[in-house]
Amino acid sequence: MKVTELLQQKPNALTMSVEITPPRRGKGIDSLFKAVAAIEDFKPLWIDVTSHSADVEWIRHPGVGTYRKRLHRKSPGTIAICGAIEHKFGFPTVPHLLCNGFTCEETEDALIDLHYLGVRNVLAIRGDGKPKEIPEDRSANRYATELISQIKNMNRGQYLDQQAEPTDFCVGVACYPEKHFEAPNLQFDIDHFVAKQQAGAEYAITQMCFDNEKFYEFMDKIKGQITIPVIPALKILTSKEQLVNVTKHFHVNIPHQFVRQIETAKSKAEVKQKGIEWACQQCLDFFDHGYTHVHFYIMKNTEPFVEVMQRLKATK
């Protein structure tokens, strides 16, 4: 079932979705299945599965003094994982499709695989970092709007080099209440968000948010411009180190009140509880403002999420 349909099924109920990451190369899928089983009782409307482009490694030939180029994807398997989760657990999945590091031809093949598996949702994102090299005889999507257009073309049966059986994907995108770190200002970023909607995006999930007021301000700014559902997303902080790492890598604001709570905590267990309490407060505030669906970036750590859901269940 499509994400937009899932959201319409329970418009007044408190619902959530989650994002997880594939295992590292060489690891089995059992740990991922255990993670999904741990949250199964809370019935997420869908599960996002991240994707990563390949890294470049230069490998030295022994005794020759020359090097060869090797592309290495640390966490492959996004498509197979989506199929496995849908088959084993019955939850709809949303694989992430990237511009960066993938050719248009590879994207088309991935979409065909997903179509065969019955996966009906994708999240179209550019991908951060320096653009990867693309072979001269291949094409590439530079921006999310181009990737969205390719997906929508396939939904109309317009493949790269032929007219073929139409696919039927619901396309989600990312948005940034505090602006993307590469955007010169928030309005510039909002203009790009509008362009994604015009290209065919059907819903959006925000960058992780720790300050609900930033989200509400963003929603006020896009009113009248964005008509697709915008879903607030949270990450549960569980360590003091994340105060630095999260802001460094994701360029988001963490309210000073929350920072003080984390910094003054006397143990790792207390830090974790403060993070869980903050996430619960955020959820309840979202619900009070009419946002009944929240997306959680849980990656591989399900325990804090489970505790948040148990507390919310006891509250509502």
Side-chain angles (χ1 to χ4, degrees):
M1 187 175 289
K2 296 181 178 180
V3 165
T4 48
E5 296 170 341
L6 292 166
L7 291 172
Q8 291 170 2
Q9 276 193 333
K10 299 180 179 180
N12 300 315
L14 307 182
T15 58
M16 55 80 199
S17 51
V18 300
E19 180 171 311
I20 61 175
T21 57
R24 286 297 182 98
R25 179 180 291 274
K27 300 290 185 180
I29 200 171
D30 286 346
S31 62
L32 186 140
F33 281 163
K34 288 179 181 177
V36 177
I39 65 173
E40 186 175 11
D41 288 346
F42 301 107
K43 296 179 171 53
L45 290 191
W46 69 85
I47 297 176
D48 272 37
V49 182
T50 63
S51 178
H52 303 279
S53 58
D55 294 321
V56 176
E57 296 179 327
W58 291 96
I59 301 174
R60 189 176 187 276
H61 286 282
V64 180
T66 60
Y67 292 79
R68 65 181 177 87
K69 184 178 181 180
R70 176 174 178 258
L71 295 177
H72 180 77
R73 187 165 288 115
K74 292 180 180 178
S75 298
T78 296
I79 293 175
I81 287 168
C82 287
I85 290 174
E86 294 209 6
H87 175 72
K88 185 176 180 65
F89 296 96
F91 293 124
T93 57
V94 182
H96 291 195
L97 291 183
L98 307 183
C99 299
N100 192 11
F102 295 88
T103 67
C104 292
E105 291 77 9
E106 289 170 332
T107 296
E108 181 171 284
D109 288 347
L111 289 164
I112 290 171
D113 287 344
L114 291 167
H115 179 63
Y116 289 156
L117 286 169
V119 176
R120 291 294 174 259
N121 302 284
V122 293
L123 190 78
I125 52 180
R126 190 195 71 178
D128 293 329
K130 184 179 179 181
K132 304 294 193 299
E133 293 181 15
I134 298 297
E136 293 182 0
D137 62 338
R138 295 289 185 270
S139 57
N141 294 308
R142 296 169 299 168
Y143 304 108
T145 49
E146 296 176 353
L147 176 55
I148 296 165
S149 294
Q150 181 179 1
I151 299 166
K152 287 296 181 176
N153 283 339
M154 289 185 66
N155 280 354
R156 292 187 288 269
Q158 299 171 13
Y159 288 46
L160 293 175
D161 298 312
Q162 66 184 108
Q163 195 73 22
E165 179 180 323
T167 54
D168 186 26
F169 292 107
C170 174
V171 184
V173 294
C175 65
Y176 304 85
E178 300 175 60
K179 89 172 184 62
H180 191 278
F181 72 97
E182 293 179 352
N185 55 66
L186 181 57
Q187 187 56 54
F188 182 90
D189 203 33
I190 290 173
D191 291 343
H192 279 267
F193 187 13
V194 172
K196 292 178 187 179
Q197 177 180 259
Q198 292 172 339
E202 296 167 74
Y203 73 96
I205 293 178
T206 71
Q207 176 62 284
M208 63 185 68
C209 176
F210 297 93
D211 186 345
N212 289 18
E213 291 303 318
K214 296 288 186 184
F215 174 79
Y216 302 140
E217 291 170 6
F218 177 69
M219 295 303 293
D220 285 339
K221 288 181 181 295
I222 64 176
K223 189 179 299 182
Q225 301 179 76
I226 298 296
T227 57
I228 60 177
V230 177
I231 300 166
L234 306 181
K235 181 175 177 62
I236 306 166
L237 291 192
T238 56
S239 72
K240 291 185 178 181
E241 291 76 15
Q242 287 178 314
L243 290 177
V244 174
N245 295 335
V246 165
T247 52
K248 177 182 178 180
H249 294 293
F250 300 101
H251 309 274
V252 293
N253 177 71
I254 301 179
H256 185 64
Q257 178 188 356
F258 184 31
V259 172
R260 291 296 299 155
Q261 291 179 20
I262 297 295
E263 284 189 328
T264 57
K266 294 179 173 57
S267 66
K268 291 182 179 180
E270 186 180 353
V271 169
K272 179 181 171 183
Q273 287 306 307
K274 293 296 183 184
I276 288 169
E277 289 169 8
W278 189 267
C280 286
Q281 292 169 10
Q282 282 191 273
C283 287
L284 293 173
D285 186 64
F286 280 135
F287 299 154
D288 288 342
H289 281 76
Y291 296 94
T292 59
H293 185 89
V294 177
H295 188 74
F296 285 86
Y297 295 104
I298 64 172
M299 317 321 277
K300 295 183 176 72
N301 188 12
T302 59
E303 185 180 343
F305 169 78
V306 168
E307 188 163 344
V308 166
M309 296 306 299
Q310 288 173 337
R311 292 192 186 192
L312 291 176
K313 187 176 180 181
T315 302
K316 288 292 182 178

